[in-house]
Amino acid sequence: AGADLHAMRALGGRAGAEAFIRRVDGLCGAIQAFPGPVVAVCDGPCLGAGLEVAVAADFRVAVEGPATVFAMPETRLGIPSVVQACLIPGLVGWGNARRMLYFGESIDCAMALKWGLVNDVVAPENLEDLIRQWEEKIALTGTNALRSQKALMREWEELGCGREGVEAGVRAFGQAFEGEEIGRASCRERV
């Protein structure tokens, strides 16, 4: 769901608040740094720090139902949304991000899908099938190529797609030819 509001009230001022939010950032950073794809399954309220954890993942799937909602309600509590909330504009666009971050309103699964906050919405009974399909697709990729692509995606998030981002891509492409995955059968299929 998100951070415990009672625990947040007991943070004890600026130092406690900054220590808390650094722990949230550390968790999200570990998800982002994990070398393989990470899927966040959102089944129920996904609020504040919970949504930051979800957007730190590579993919987000929402389990269909009235309880699955998404919000960044911090401004309603007198604090700004921070750390991995900075990823939200890249997913939903700046206008929708402003709506989420300024107003603190909840959106449902359908809106989250329409805005691009989640990659898919699935009925509870179809969740395992969807995850299995994604696993099968991932299994067709080269392990090193996938790790390199994930690292490159993170660089693009940080650098943008200007010259620095392009150069990071050039380096990653060249490094791929130093490995043994080039020419692997599943990698030779036409895209």
Side-chain angles (χ1 to χ4, degrees):
D4 183 323
L5 297 180
H6 298 294
M8 287 183 65
R9 287 187 183 104
L11 290 176
R14 182 179 185 147
E18 288 181 4
F20 165 78
I21 204 64
R22 287 190 189 284
R23 287 191 303 274
V24 172
D25 178 48
L27 170 61
C28 293
I31 292 168
Q32 291 172 296
F34 188 77
V38 176
V39 177
V41 175
C42 306
D43 186 4
C46 190
L47 312 173
L51 184 51
E52 290 178 59
V53 169
V55 299
D58 298 289
F59 301 101
R60 285 151 304 285
V61 59
V63 177
E64 198 171 52
T68 304
V69 295
F70 303 85
M72 295 299 287
E74 288 87 342
T75 55
R76 291 183 174 196
L77 303 172
I79 56 177
S81 296
V82 295
V83 293
Q84 277 68 21
C86 69
L87 299 172
I88 294 174
L91 295 170
V92 304
W94 285 99
N96 290 329
R98 284 183 177 95
R99 285 180 64 178
M100 289 188 81
L101 300 173
Y102 294 178
F103 302 157
E105 296 174 335
S106 296
I107 61 171
D108 63 13
C109 292
M111 189 63 70
L113 182 63
K114 181 179 177 183
W115 284 5
L117 186 62
V118 297
N119 301 91
D120 215 327
V121 176
V122 65
E125 64 273 12
N126 296 330
L127 177 61
E128 286 186 38
D129 288 338
L130 175 69
I131 298 299
R132 190 173 13 266
Q133 290 170 17
W134 287 5
E135 288 171 342
E136 289 169 1
K137 291 177 182 184
I138 293 281
L140 294 174
T141 65
T143 303
N144 292 331
L146 186 60
R147 286 182 178 173
S148 177
Q149 188 66 67
K150 181 167 179 173
L152 187 57
M153 293 290 289
R154 291 276 299 134
E155 284 190 78
W156 288 342
E157 285 176 343
E158 293 175 15
L159 300 173
C161 292
R163 192 76 247 151
E164 288 182 77
V166 170
E167 287 301 324
V170 169
R171 287 189 301 277
F173 187 80
Q175 288 170 351
F177 284 82
E178 294 174 348
E180 297 176 13
E181 286 183 356
I182 298 295
R184 196 178 109 191
S186 63
C187 292
R188 282 185 275 178
E189 295 175 12
R190 293 194 79 141
V191 181

